[in-house]
Amino acid sequence: MKLIEHIPLIKQMEILNRLSFFREFSLNERQVLLESFSHLYLINKDRFVFKQFDNDKQLYIVLSGAIVVFKHSHLMDLGTIEPGEFIGEGAFINNREHSTSARAKSDTIVLAITSEALIRLPNVIREKIKDRIIEGMSGRIAKLSDYLESRG
């Protein structure tokens, strides 16, 4: 993973403006998040974002590209994380090691937020991030339920 430091703020804002994750955030809230509480990383194709059992506690929001999620003990992918979706929420929320591995399917840019940064965020931004995580996890549960029913 390579830290990206030289993308102008206006370009970063344009990227965030296109993603559903940030639809409820005001322009000012997006700017505060980008300037003070997050980092952008480039993950080259086939490189790991994290590996199963890593202690990395960051939440990653995909800005461009795609990430494949899998377990080393299985031969199949568990899913693909697309722009506007996030990964790493289990380790981020529960302060535990990762239960899966994640690898870039193509060159991918992610916005990374640490749990420490989340605590320091203004309440309104923190609550919006939490809302998006809950919404995303709820969607994943619904997809899993549909999948299990279809196999039934």
Side-chain angles (χ1 to χ4, degrees):
M1 246 189 320
K2 180 182 173 196
L3 181 65
I4 301 173
E5 300 180 276
H6 303 294
I7 296 179
L9 180 62
I10 189 76
K11 182 65 176 167
Q12 293 179 46
M13 294 285 285
E14 286 175 10
I15 294 169
L16 262 56
N17 290 343
R18 290 185 288 211
L19 302 175
S20 62
F21 188 95
F22 299 100
R23 72 178 175 269
E24 301 295 327
F25 291 65
S26 70
L27 287 176
N28 183 54
E29 291 165 349
R30 293 174 193 174
Q31 184 174 349
V32 167
L33 181 63
L34 287 170
E35 288 183 329
S36 305
F37 298 98
S38 63
H39 297 289
L40 296 180
Y41 290 98
L42 170 64
I43 302 116
N44 293 111
K45 181 181 182 193
D46 296 326
R47 296 286 187 170
F48 283 91
V49 180
F50 53 78
K51 294 180 181 178
Q52 187 173 358
F53 308 118
D54 279 355
N55 280 315
D56 170 15
K57 307 286 191 295
Q58 296 186 98
L59 176 72
Y60 297 97
I61 303 167
V62 177
L63 302 183
S64 68
I67 296 172
V68 176
V69 180
F70 62 97
K71 281 198 176 230
H72 288 290
S73 59
H74 297 79
L75 297 176
M76 61 182 261
D77 295 342
L78 300 174
T80 300
I81 309 301
E82 304 279 341
E85 298 177 325
F86 55 85
I87 190 167
E89 69 279 3
F92 178 77
I93 293 169
N94 295 319
N95 196 27
R96 62 170 170 78
E97 57 193 25
H98 289 284
S99 60
T100 59
S101 295
R103 184 175 51 229
K105 192 173 186 175
S106 58
D107 287 351
T108 300
I109 297 175
V110 297
L111 178 107
I113 305 169
T114 65
S115 54
E116 296 81 17
L118 183 71
I119 292 166
R120 294 191 330 264
L121 277 167
N123 286 343
V124 66
I125 300 173
R126 183 173 54 241
E127 291 305 312
K128 287 179 181 180
I129 289 173
K130 288 178 179 179
D131 289 348
R132 296 290 75 73
I133 292 171
I134 291 167
E135 183 180 290
M137 291 175 79
S138 174
R140 289 178 184 169
I141 291 168
K143 281 183 186 176
L144 180 58
S145 294
D146 290 346
Y147 172 76
L148 292 173
E149 281 182 24
S150 71
R151 295 189 65 186

